[in-house]
Amino acid sequence: MTLKSRMGIWSLTAAALLLVFGYVLVQYGIAGARQAGFVNYKLQSAGFSYTPWIYMLYVHIVTASAAMLSGLYALLRPAAGQAGRTRSPSLRRARLHRLAGRIYAVSVALSSLASLYLAFKASGGRIAGAGFLLMDALWLATTIHGVRQAMLGRIGKHRRWMIRSYALTFSGVSLRVLLGPLVLLLGSFTPAYQAVSWLCWLVNLAVAEWIIRKSKGRDVGLTGPTVGIQ
């Protein structure tokens, strides 16, 4: 994959993040969660308890947002490897990459745990819940495996696993992009939400594998033997 193609993909990713962050800020930060259509739909469900669900939702939103931002930075600004001087640009870049990686890993761990709770309360019943539970398990597993590869100095494998992890991180954006068209296509919210609970991350993983295959055998940005999280 050419540099121009990679930058195009990440530019679209950044633009989608800005749109979603704007929506989340206005809907949950200014208007209030109870005014959100998704939350209002759940409030109409028999036996639904607003608390502690809403607190777990906010934990998930904040930590997932931190993961999206730090993960995007780490992928766009990969470590450049060690250099001979402490103040060299490559060392500063490596340190910033490690910092972003730590923030990302902690954010994913916290967000995935909150998301596990939310999955058991998911709209759409067991079908949607199963989709989100599997996604959360894969999200945490790919992140742990990616961090481990960095600690072992296997930079190429680290890069590939973190692309997979970030694809799962980005599923929150894909969910919001796909949900509207699916509601129009399927005619109502519940079947659309059941479908999107699987499609939002399966589509992302398919795109991630395509990116990895296109980049195979080429320099995809991470070089140097000791840029892992130490």
Side-chain angles (χ1 to χ4, degrees), residues 30-68:
I30 299 175
R34 286 182 179 271
Q35 303 304 315
F38 168 69
V39 177
N40 188 53
Y41 177 84
K42 293 193 74 67
L43 289 171
Q44 297 174 21
S45 303
F48 173 71
S49 298
Y50 188 66
T51 55
W53 179 87
I54 188 61
Y55 301 120
M56 298 303 288
L57 178 64
Y58 274 117
V59 169
H60 175 61
I61 289 173
V62 172
T63 52
S65 297
M68 286 183 186

Side-chain angles (χ1 to χ4, degrees), residues 170-195:
F170 202 72
S171 62
V173 176
S174 299
L175 184 149
R176 287 159 180 82
V177 171
L178 295 172
L179 183 57
L182 284 171
V183 170
L184 293 175
L185 180 65
L186 299 177
S188 63
F189 177 82
T190 298
Y193 200 71
Q194 290 173 336

